[in-house]
Amino acid sequence: MSRINAFRSAVEATFKTALPTLKSCELQLGRFDLDELERNSIRAPGLRIGVLRAPVQSNADGSYDLPLECAAFAIVQGSEPARDNDAWAMAEAVLAILSPRQRFGLDNIGAPSKLRIAPVLSGKMDRRGVSVVAVEWTQVLRNATAGVFANSPTIDLIFEVNGEPFDPDAGAAP
């Protein structure tokens, strides 16, 4: 599994365990918006988790670090002001899970940083009785491409000279 996908799965599992009263907690490809709400049936209260961006940082040793820009979208349905209050409370619970020691059980990952909370405002969402509050953070995945080809089959290169196999380590050609 890629390290990004391992991170995404670990984040989802952590939030599901820590917030067992949610009716749904799922991964999201990118940012959550009204189109996503209309396209998918989302049970509320729910949490959608996504990696929004991953700018690549090249290191002198040839490795890559990825500052994963992540978000957890707290989704609540109901009447105002209760749904707004519940969405903010869910966001605060997500923030508590993102403690400075949170590594989601993974190695080579930095602490959550650049945390912020913001409502996702839309008149259409409001008319549908939905409130969404996003918790965004950055978490650096170090040496991101390590092991990408670890489970790939070995490629054997066979050299031929005049139609005969040639082993460059064995000496001269036949």
Side-chain angles (χ1 to χ4, degrees):
M1 177 185 297
S2 81
R3 302 236 2 256
I4 294 172
N5 286 330
F7 171 80
R8 293 173 71 230
S9 295
V11 171
E12 178 186 28
T14 299
F15 283 125
K16 279 183 177 179
T17 301
L19 302 168
T21 59
L22 294 177
K23 290 186 178 175
S24 65
C25 180
E26 298 173 13
L27 295 176
Q28 168 78 28
L29 184 62
R31 187 165 292 284
F32 182 85
D33 59 15
L34 181 61
D35 289 340
E36 187 64 26
L37 182 64
E38 291 176 345
R39 193 171 38 247
N40 293 303
S41 172
I42 298 171
R43 297 181 319 156
L47 196 64
R48 299 297 284 230
I49 306 149
V51 174
L52 308 179
R53 288 177 5 124
V56 178
Q57 295 177 343
S58 299
N59 298 316
D61 65 359
S63 67
Y64 297 105
D65 291 346
L66 297 176
L68 301 175
E69 296 175 13
C70 308
F73 300 92
I75 305 159
V76 177
Q77 287 182 302
S79 57
E80 289 186 299
R83 75 169 188 253
D84 292 346
N85 292 340
D86 290 346
W88 282 108
M90 280 178 58
E92 194 172 342
V94 167
L95 185 63
I97 294 165
L98 293 172
S99 75
R101 293 184 305 270
Q102 184 59 265
R103 300 301 187 278
F104 299 103
L106 302 173
D107 295 326
N108 293 320
I109 190 162
S113 64
K114 300 179 184 174
L115 290 94
R116 67 181 187 171
I117 302 175
V120 177
L121 301 173
S122 162
K124 288 183 180 180
M125 279 196 230
D126 187 51
R127 285 189 291 280
R128 288 189 62 173
V130 175
S131 292
V132 179
V133 175
V135 179
E136 297 182 23
W137 76 98
T138 298
Q139 206 152 0
V140 178
L141 187 62
R142 294 187 187 92
N143 200 10
T145 57
V148 167
F149 298 110
N151 296 326
S152 298
T154 302
I155 299 173
D156 292 323
L157 297 177
I158 300 173
F159 296 103
E160 291 184 1
V161 175
N162 296 328
E164 295 291 322
F166 170 70
D167 183 358
D169 296 328

